[in-house]
Amino acid sequence: MTTTHTAADAAPTDAAATTAATVPAETKQRLPLARAINAGLRRALATDDHVMLMGEDIGRLGGVFRVTDGLQAEFGTQRVVDSPLAESGILGTAIGLAMAGYRPVVEIQFDGFVFPAFDQITTQLAKLRYRTGGRLEMPVVIRIPYGGSIGAIEHHSESPEALFAHTAGLRIVTPATAADGYTMIQQAIASPDPVIFLEPKSRYWDKGEVDLREGATELGPDGWRSLHVARTVRAGSDLTIAAYGPTVATALAAAQVAEQEGRDVEVIDLRSVSPIDFDTLTESVMRTGHLVVVHEAPVFFGSGAEIAARITERCFHALEAPVLRVGGFHTPYPASSIEAEYLPSLDRVLDAVDRSLAY
Amino acid sequence: MSSTETPATPVDHELSWPDPCEIAGTVRLVAPDGSRLSEDAVALSGHAVYAAAAARTTPDELRAMYRDMVLVRAFDREATSLQRQGELGLWPECRGQEAAQIGSAHALRPRDHVFPSYREHGVAHVRGLDLREILHLFRGTEHGGWDPTAHGFHIYTLVIGSHTLHATGYAMGIQRDGDVGTGTDRDRAVVAYFGDGATAQGDVNEALVFAATTNAPVVFFCQNNHWAISAPTTVQTTVPLVERGAGFGVPSIRVDGNDVVAVKAVTEAALERARSGGGPTFIEAVTYRMGAHTTSDDPTRYRERAEEDAWSQRDPIERLGALLRAEGLVDDAFFAGIDADATELTAGVRAYCRSLTPPPAESMFDHVYAAQHTLVDEERAWYGQYASSFEQAAAGS
Ligand SMILES: Cc1ncc(C[n+]2csc(CCOP(=O)(O)OP(=O)(O)O)c2C)c(N)n1
């Protein structure tokens, strides 16, 4: 079995042998999120022959967002496969390929187009391990560009995480930064369970520093599992904002504005929607007594509802205000010319911060 | 095991550009140079029935189709440039597919119903839709933009293939209403438009199953424009798409989609079959997407210039123009008149597009439900208060 060698192969994979201080400067690069995920995919393809990518237009075109750019040229058409235009087919065959020992990483072109595959994901992929008493492993990653604010037409701006989070058997994660994009995609691929990997498309072009030396063998302190650990982006003592994916940057901006008003806001990037790192969140809310959850998905039956319920159970006596949620309304995603009013904007987050602290 | 040593992909993606309509079984009545095929040649391929129908196409109709094609292309070009100027979020061009769309739409009767995908601007125009109404969707001011019942032309569907099932269901409704097979004006039929890529979707295959087993009066009009974004048709199928229909029990026919005369004749026959109770037909109209998939797309990344050049020699508008000239059905004034109309149309489109403003934000709460829903009411009220707090703040400062 041969594998095409890549630039990534040249980098040392035994990261533990090199301390941070001695990391050569060139392994750290400022990359947009889309390029960082691309680098993570390249690394995974180069490291494990069983990893394969499948999806619409991901080959020669490199995907409509160019996240798989150059990967077919590098790894060939058997490992980076342009699939027929059929999402149920993509997911159904990914399940079969996983049964045959492969690690399919599939791309759904846009959030609104995952639904033809909803049956395969929720009734088959999520349950096969359970139904076979653990005899089958389903290491399938479903990459979905999601969320709004790119001025797109309908079905191109949705946030379907809650629909999947309601289904046991699926892991659901979403990177907010380029560094996380690079690491988390590799961790998702290393996961023995199916992972829905939601990519915040409005942040695809946001740049951040990525350490390209960190490869599949060094996936964080707890291997692929740290995929589900929340990250405190900004420490604070007055109020906690929990965000993920596209809303992390909004939450940070809100914290900065609040600071000018003398409020010390903590921002937590959950990174994972299933499971949710309630330990990190609980510790924070125990200190601040205030929690605002921000996501683009509709608030009704959204992940914020689950967080509010659990945090109320865990922190009831520490809470100084009800947990507030900022997110989409109970309407279909509106036409793009008014999407800014639907989305959890900086102003709406600040409004919730005010309401919580004034409680 | 996966590896780069694995033998070549099962489908050969090598590109070559022979005329795909020159293969046997494809209905063609007018050659790319605008000359009509001889009766013998058409009869030899078993398509005499279509030639006979085409012979009944009047000069007025030929001129009308030409006019429609030119106007739609001008509109399409204008919309593309409006997108480039930031006036539209996105635009899917139909350039190159005018004969497939306008020829088939001219076969429709007013009471028929159309389910388009998102590129059928030509069909929209023939159905009587004011083309400007299409801009609403692509300017992001509305999800639809027109009344689907007013012109028997449903709103665009962006989720590939979904609407082929709706078309089939609508046809089943017509059947139940007794609007099939009466031999009167009452008889109706449905057309679903979709692409070569869409044929891979489960929904499209299920639509064929339902249509066949219910004998629904629906025509599946597949515009094989050779590309589904970057995927050539060979990614979706290893046989000509027209061969798919038979397995479902749906009679199928392949037509030169750039020959407006043949398209109209073939669609007319399929619609007549449907209206008279003969059941569904699958039409593969072989055409070419001359432009990008949409204004967000860059075709240079996946297709050869030589292929585009080959197809520019088969331009559907030039073909009909040549025929009209050769048969002496038009004069210079005819073309000049259409050009003037096109200029007027595009000026109107430009002005209209710029005049389209975002709807009030509160309108996002409209039409979620037909009847009252307390959650929507609550959120609308909250949003109203929230929004007016800014106005108050501004007034107070
Ligand atoms: C269910 C679904 N999956 C993916 C997409 C993204 N997408 C939009 S158009 C397109 C290609 C469609 O090709 P085809 O059916 O041949 O029609 P054409 O655009 O060529 O007219 C794709 C993949 C979509 N709109 N819907």
Side-chain angles (χ1 to χ4, degrees):
Chain A
M1 189 183 304
T2 59
T3 311
T4 312
H5 288 277
T6 68
D9 286 335
T13 47
D14 188 6
T18 325
T19 61
T22 62
V23 172
E26 61 271 20
T27 68
K28 293 202 172 172
Q29 280 185 28
R30 273 186 71 72
L31 294 177
L33 172 62
R35 293 301 307 170
I37 298 171
N38 177 280
L41 289 168
R42 173 178 285 113
R43 184 76 179 222
L45 282 161
T47 316
D48 182 351
D49 276 343
H50 292 87
V51 172
M52 58 176 290
L53 313 190
M54 215 166 32
E56 295 157 10
D57 305 291
I58 67 165
R60 209 186 305 194
L61 187 65
V64 294
F65 290 106
R66 309 289 184 261
V67 174
T68 55
D69 193 21
L71 298 179
Q72 189 181 67
E74 192 169 334
F75 295 97
T77 52
Q78 287 293 296
R79 301 209 46 212
V80 181
V81 182
D82 271 321
S83 75
L85 206 180
E87 290 77 11
S88 181
I90 293 170
L91 259 299
T93 56
I95 290 170
L97 282 156
M99 288 174 179
Y102 287 87
R103 301 187 95 81
V105 182
V106 307
E107 174 175 303
I108 298 294
Q109 201 160 82
F110 278 93
D111 36 58
F113 306 138
V114 69
F115 300 106
F118 199 72
D119 170 50
Q120 288 290 346
I121 296 171
T122 56
T123 71
Q124 302 301 322
L125 182 64
K127 295 183 170 72
L128 270 160
R129 181 183 188 85
Y130 192 73
R131 289 166 58 212
T132 59
R135 290 181 187 89
L136 281 186
E137 203 145 274
M138 281 292 124
V140 174
V141 177
I142 307 169
R143 297 184 31 246
I144 312 177
Y146 83 121
S149 52
I150 62 160
I153 48 173
E154 57 176 349
H155 312 299
H156 292 74
S157 301
E158 294 171 17
S159 297
E161 64 269 23
L163 296 171
F164 294 111
H166 207 62
T167 303
L170 303 173
R171 297 175 181 275
I172 300 157
V173 301
T174 174
T177 64
D180 269 355
Y182 176 70
T183 313
M184 287 171 70
I185 189 64
Q186 295 177 67
Q187 291 173 320
I189 294 168
S191 157
D193 292 318
V195 178
I196 308 239
F197 193 84
L198 297 166
E199 301 174 3
K201 66 172 91 81
S202 60
R203 308 289 179 201
Y204 265 149
W205 303 278
D206 289 2
K207 285 189 176 179
E209 183 158 289
V210 182
D211 184 350
L212 292 175
R213 190 211 44 173
E214 263 182 30
T217 55
E218 175 67 12
L219 295 169
D222 196 18
W224 67 267
R225 288 175 190 78
S226 57
L227 186 56
H228 300 299
V229 178
R231 181 171 61 99
T232 304
V233 186
R234 184 185 198 280
S237 55
D238 294 340
L239 178 144
T240 306
I241 302 181
Y244 55 82
T247 59
V248 173
T250 318
L252 259 180
Q256 279 151 16
V257 175
E259 185 177 28
Q260 288 156 23
E261 295 166 2
R263 287 156 169 184
D264 190 16
V265 172
E266 178 148 315
V267 175
I268 293 178
D269 173 4
L270 291 176
R271 297 167 86 245
S272 175
V273 177
S274 179
I276 289 174
D277 180 359
F278 279 108
D279 289 346
T280 299
L281 210 49
T282 302
E283 187 279 323
S284 173
V285 178
M286 284 296 197
R287 277 188 288 105
T288 64
H290 296 264
L291 176 62
V292 172
V293 188
V294 187
H295 52 61
E296 288 192 7
V299 163
F300 192 57
F301 276 88
S303 53
E306 185 58 38
I307 291 168
R310 301 235 175 205
I311 289 300
T312 305
E313 286 166 14
R314 286 179 173 225
C315 310
F316 188 69
H317 293 291
L319 280 172
E320 290 169 34
V323 179
L324 296 182
R325 293 164 291 159
V326 187
F329 297 111
H330 189 63
T331 74
Y333 197 91
S336 62
S337 61
I338 52 171
E339 69 179 329
E341 298 300 311
Y342 169 91
L343 289 167
S345 60
L346 176 59
D347 279 334
R348 273 178 57 206
V349 176
L350 287 169
D351 168 75
V353 169
D354 284 350
R355 280 187 285 133
S356 176
L357 289 172
Y359 202 80
Chain B
M1 285 287 104
S2 70
S3 101
T4 44
E5 292 168 341
T6 320
T9 42
V11 177
D12 185 3
H13 287 177
E14 201 181 309
L15 299 168
S16 55
W17 299 282
D19 186 343
C21 295
E22 270 166 10
I23 67 171
T26 307
V27 182
R28 168 181 273 175
L29 303 175
V30 179
D33 66 4
S35 61
R36 290 197 198 243
L37 268 65
S38 73
E39 260 176 53
D40 286 352
V42 175
L44 213 70
S45 30
H47 297 144
V49 51
Y50 300 115
R56 291 194 298 272
T57 308
T58 63
D60 272 350
E61 231 173 330
L62 291 174
R63 284 189 288 259
M65 291 199 288
Y66 181 84
R67 183 170 190 278
D68 286 343
M69 284 164 55
V70 173
L71 292 184
V72 166
R73 184 167 290 184
F75 164 73
D76 211 26
R77 197 185 309 118
E78 187 57 40
T80 304
S81 80
L82 283 166
Q83 195 283 335
R84 296 270 176 259
Q85 296 158 31
E87 300 288 345
L88 294 175
L90 184 82
W91 186 253
E93 270 187 286
C94 68
R95 184 159 51 96
Q97 301 179 213
E98 293 91 348
Q101 297 190 2
I102 282 151
S104 57
H106 269 263
L108 288 158
R109 290 192 196 154
R111 278 169 44 77
D112 293 334
H113 207 88
V114 173
F115 287 81
S117 41
Y118 43 78
R119 204 189 289 288
E120 276 69 61
H121 320 317
V123 183
H125 173 65
V126 178
R127 290 307 277 167
L129 195 86
D130 182 338
L131 285 170
R132 299 179 303 183
E133 295 189 66
I134 302 177
L135 303 177
H136 297 224
L137 172 66
F138 295 101
R139 193 167 161 91
T141 58
E142 262 189 79
H143 284 326
W146 59 88
D147 176 357
T149 55
H151 306 281
F153 187 77
H154 192 71
I155 57 168
Y156 280 174
T157 299
L158 299 171
V159 183
I160 302 288
S162 295
H163 61 295
T164 57
L165 278 164
H166 311 159
T168 304
Y170 192 94
M172 289 159 66
I174 286 178
Q175 201 177 33
R176 276 153 200 269
D177 288 346
D179 288 356
V180 173
T182 69
T184 68
D185 275 359
R186 184 177 169 168
D187 295 342
R188 308 169 62 197
V190 179
V191 184
Y193 286 88
F194 53 98
D196 43 291
T199 62
Q201 281 289 3
D203 277 4
V204 175
N205 289 272
E206 292 178 28
L208 288 162
V209 168
F210 275 75
T213 56
T214 60
N215 205 42
V218 55
V219 175
F220 294 94
F221 194 93
C222 175
Q223 289 168 85
N224 178 356
N225 66 9
H226 285 80
W227 294 94
I229 309 186
S230 72
T233 310
T234 47
V235 168
Q236 325 292 346
T237 183
T238 53
V239 298
L241 289 171
V242 67
E243 288 179 23
R244 289 265 186 85
F248 289 96
V250 176
S252 304
I253 183 136
R254 193 169 197 264
V255 62
D256 179 342
N258 286 6
D259 173 356
V260 74
V261 176
V263 170
K264 177 165 180 273
V266 164
T267 315
E268 235 162 32
L271 281 166
E272 200 36 51
R273 222 174 80 80
R275 291 192 203 102
S276 63
T281 303
F282 179 97
I283 298 174
E284 179 190 358
V286 181
T287 180
Y288 192 73
R289 193 193 78 208
M290 290 172 85
H293 171 68
T294 65
T295 42
S296 301
D297 180 38
D298 173 12
T300 63
R301 288 180 75 103
Y302 54 79
R303 71 183 188 188
E304 306 289 324
R305 183 63 194 272
E307 182 189 84
E308 295 176 0
D309 290 346
W311 279 95
S312 71
Q313 304 302 308
R314 301 173 196 140
D315 188 299
I317 298 183
E318 282 170 25
R319 188 180 312 196
L320 182 58
L323 176 127
L324 289 169
R325 267 195 211 92
E327 299 189 352
L329 301 176
V330 292
D331 53 18
D332 288 348
F334 170 78
F335 293 109
I338 293 179
D339 284 348
D341 290 351
T343 308
E344 192 185 319
L345 174 91
T346 52
V349 163
R350 219 164 27 244
Y352 182 80
C353 182
R354 298 207 167 107
S355 77
L356 279 178
T357 50
E362 307 81 54
S363 69
M364 80 174 110
F365 298 102
D366 295 345
H367 309 299
V368 182
Y369 296 94
Q372 197 195 16
H373 187 284
T374 50
L375 176 61
V376 175
D377 293 349
E378 193 182 300
E379 290 191 347
R380 185 205 297 268
W382 180 86
Y383 176 79
Q385 271 175 7
Y386 166 78
S388 64
S389 70
F390 289 94
E391 283 154 33
Q392 280 156 16
S397 65

